Amino acid sequence: MAPGPVGATNVSVGIANLPNQRHKIVSRKGTNFTVMVVGESGLGKTTFINTLFTTLMREYKRPEHRFNKQMDRTVAIDVVRADIEEKGFNVRLTVIDTPGFGDYANNQDCWVPVIKFIDDQHQLVMNHETLPNRKIDDLRVHVCLYFIQPTGHTLKPLDIEVMKQLSSRVNLIPVIAKADTITPAEMLAFKERIRDCISTHDIQVYSPAVHSDDEETTRRNTSTLAAMPFSIISSENDVVVNGQNVRGRQYIWGVAEVENENHCDFKKLRNLLIRTHMHDLISTTHDSHYEAYRVSKLTAEGRTDNDPAISARRNFEAKMKEEEGALRKRFAEQVKVEENRFRQWEQKLISERDRLNEDLDKQHTLVKQLEEELEEIIAARKR
Ligand SMILES: Nc1nc2c(ncn2[C@@H]2O[C@H](COP(=O)(O)OP(=O)(O)OP(=O)(O)O)[C@@H](O)[C@H]2O)c(=O)[nH]1
Ligand SMILES: [Mg+2]
């Protein structure tokens, strides 16, 4: 199927979380944010995409489009898009659906088209870097969600192989699909085993910096990291819980709710993607993964650090970093000056208010005094 948008709308997101300066710079032109889903066939990748878009529309109380991507087996790489926006900050959210693998006796190299897609996007950007018009449809994958079958055991050799291939190219986040099919205790043990397996095989999954200047962010990052790999439930349908329509899956024993944090980590994952770590995912993609691709390509072409093109680029990047640092410093200083100016003005207003209050008190006393004198005169006249 040809890649193309199945729906587009505007929703509000927490992009205002970005540092002010960054926000200002980026908001003028907006940005692309691209998520890819990969994994075995039938694990609910396409259902997840539909669920993500539907719940986003609902969360931000925007008219709901039906993001009903066709639910047959996905047979080709497919692109789903929506424009999201907050306070003038535009994000083009793109989710890339991929055909599931694992259906065949021989799954060797089944991930090749996915890896090729990721590399092709890096190559496209690299090719355009030297052209005067650098406007391209940048589909570099900022985060890849790898779907794991909820077996309750551990990762399969195929998972390990594919995750290794992916993790050297993109920010990789493993997710446990169909969390409603195993018990909470099984899920905890399964997560632990997956974490062990990931570390044994030295798979580099995305792990955001935990410590931040403010305590709230540090606490949030720690709790997010503790939940990895995220368990998710997806659904095509709404069910009624306590008189309210919620996304979920109805069973005889009850409802498995997509956005209930006691049922799965869907909400944590969505927050990480759309709110708290979008900027980090975008910048690490450019600074680490794209850079690694670029260097490996140039090295393969036999170009070294002494190559004028490479050193020119290095100098350019160092200069940009320096300029950004200086800009940040100037901005912080400007804010300080403005704050001081505001404080002085506030202080002046307070003194002026105090002076006026004092005047008012004096006038009150005078009026009272005059009233008393008047009363005395009237009384004297009556006598
Ligand atoms: N129990 C349960 N079933 C789910 C969940 N998510 C999706 N499914 C079901 O799993 C089946 C396959 O879902 P798809 O979204 O088509 O799976 P896919 O990963 O896109 O499959 P391919 O396109 O073949 O790679 C459908 O019947 C879904 O309803 C879930 O969270 N829990
Ligand atoms: Mg699919």
Side-chain angles (χ1 to χ4, degrees):
M1 188 190 305
V6 297
T9 188
N10 288 331
V11 292
S12 204
V13 291
I15 309 300
N17 287 346
L18 289 178
N20 268 338
Q21 174 120 17
R22 189 63 159 179
H23 184 181
K24 263 190 183 167
I25 293 169
V26 189
S27 62
R28 261 178 265 128
K29 51 182 179 178
T31 192
N32 289 323
F33 181 59
T34 305
V35 181
M36 178 183 244
V37 294
V38 177
E40 260 183 60
S41 183
L43 288 184
K45 298 181 293 298
T46 305
T47 317
F48 169 79
I49 296 173
N50 288 340
T51 311
L52 178 70
F53 280 113
T54 306
T55 60
L56 270 177
M57 301 304 120
R58 218 168 266 184
E59 168 109 334
Y60 298 106
K61 302 193 172 50
R62 296 295 158 124
E64 209 167 289
H65 288 239
R66 267 203 70 76
F67 282 97
N68 49 343
K69 254 175 62 51
Q70 68 172 73
M71 286 305 302
D72 306 336
R73 229 191 115 181
T74 309
V75 291
I77 288 177
D78 193 12
V79 178
V80 192
R81 282 176 155 159
D83 291 320
I84 55 183
E85 178 249 324
E86 180 178 271
K87 291 181 193 151
F89 187 102
N90 299 313
V91 177
R92 165 142 281 210
L93 174 63
T94 303
V95 184
I96 298 167
D97 197 4
T98 62
F101 40 74
D103 267 3
Y104 314 101
N106 179 8
N107 286 308
Q108 215 189 348
D109 299 343
C110 55
W111 60 86
V112 168
V114 170
I115 298 292
K116 185 175 178 311
F117 181 90
I118 294 170
D119 285 349
D120 282 353
Q121 307 317 308
H122 283 153
Q123 187 64 49
L124 200 68
V125 173
M126 202 175 142
N127 292 346
H128 275 71
E129 268 192 355
T130 47
L131 299 181
N133 178 7
R134 308 207 317 190
K135 266 198 171 168
I136 47 162
D137 193 9
D138 184 355
L139 272 183
R140 278 178 295 178
V141 176
H142 299 119
V143 57
C144 175
L145 306 179
Y146 185 81
F147 280 59
I148 299 167
Q149 192 183 354
T151 58
H153 305 302
T154 185
L155 292 178
K156 300 173 186 180
L158 182 66
D159 294 327
I160 295 168
E161 178 70 46
V162 181
M163 282 170 82
K164 270 194 166 171
Q165 297 281 342
L166 289 168
S167 68
S168 61
R169 291 171 162 84
V170 283
N171 290 314
L172 178 69
I173 297 187
V175 300
I176 301 172
K178 304 189 179 181
D180 52 317
T181 59
I182 58 176
T183 67
E186 284 169 335
M187 181 58 82
L188 276 182
F190 190 37
K191 279 188 174 188
E192 195 60 50
R193 265 181 237 127
I194 292 173
R195 279 195 287 262
D196 284 350
C197 192
I198 283 173
S199 121
T200 309
H201 289 90
D202 204 17
I203 300 168
Q204 300 301 313
V205 294
Y206 174 65
S207 83
V210 169
H211 291 288
S212 161
D213 287 346
D214 78 290
E215 264 177 42
E216 171 57 23
T217 312
T218 307
R219 197 194 53 71
R220 199 179 53 211
N221 286 348
T222 312
S223 124
T224 303
L225 220 61
M228 280 193 189
F230 300 107
S231 60
I232 51 172
I233 298 171
S234 304
S235 170
E236 284 300 301
N237 303 306
D238 282 347
V239 282
V240 179
V241 174
N242 298 330
Q244 280 204 318
N245 266 354
V246 297
R247 264 290 132 139
R249 304 186 80 88
Q250 179 84 58
Y251 292 101
I252 301 169
W253 45 262
V255 171
E257 294 171 46
V258 168
E259 291 174 276
N260 185 329
E261 298 207 41
N262 294 321
H263 294 192
C264 72
D265 305 318
F266 177 88
K267 231 172 151 177
K268 273 203 178 87
L269 174 63
R270 192 183 58 193
N271 272 348
L272 177 140
L273 297 177
I274 307 296
R275 286 206 169 135
T276 58
H277 288 75
M278 184 187 276
H279 176 236
D280 190 52
L281 289 162
I282 293 173
S283 57
T284 47
T285 297
H286 185 78
D287 298 344
S288 305
H289 297 294
Y290 171 66
E291 193 54 24
Y293 177 85
R294 212 180 56 79
V295 169
S296 78
K297 270 281 160 172
L298 293 178
T299 313
E301 286 168 16
R303 291 163 76 171
T304 66
D305 271 2
N306 298 329
D307 187 307
I310 295 183
S311 58
R313 158 115 192 164
R314 289 246 158 87
N315 290 343
F316 173 73
E317 277 174 359
K319 200 165 152 244
M320 286 300 283
K321 263 208 170 109
E322 209 175 279
E323 272 178 17
E324 193 180 330
L327 213 63
R328 266 178 205 284
K329 208 167 144 213
R330 249 197 5 245
F331 181 73
E333 280 165 6
Q334 194 67 35
V335 168
K336 226 178 196 167
V337 167
E338 287 300 314
E339 267 176 9
N340 274 342
R341 210 168 61 85
F342 179 74
R343 285 230 175 84
Q344 280 171 7
W345 177 66
E346 193 183 23
Q347 207 50 53
K348 230 165 118 188
L349 275 183
I350 291 171
S351 330
E352 185 67 7
R353 187 199 59 196
D354 290 349
R355 194 185 61 74
L356 285 172
N357 277 345
E358 232 171 73
D359 268 8
L360 202 64
D361 279 351
K362 275 188 198 152
Q363 296 302 325
H364 265 301
T365 322
L366 192 66
V367 168
K368 227 176 190 171
Q369 209 179 319
L370 287 173
E371 275 175 357
E372 279 168 13
E373 279 175 22
L374 188 68
E375 269 170 27
E376 265 174 35
I377 292 170
I378 293 170
R381 270 203 191 150
K382 278 186 186 163
R383 268 188 254 126

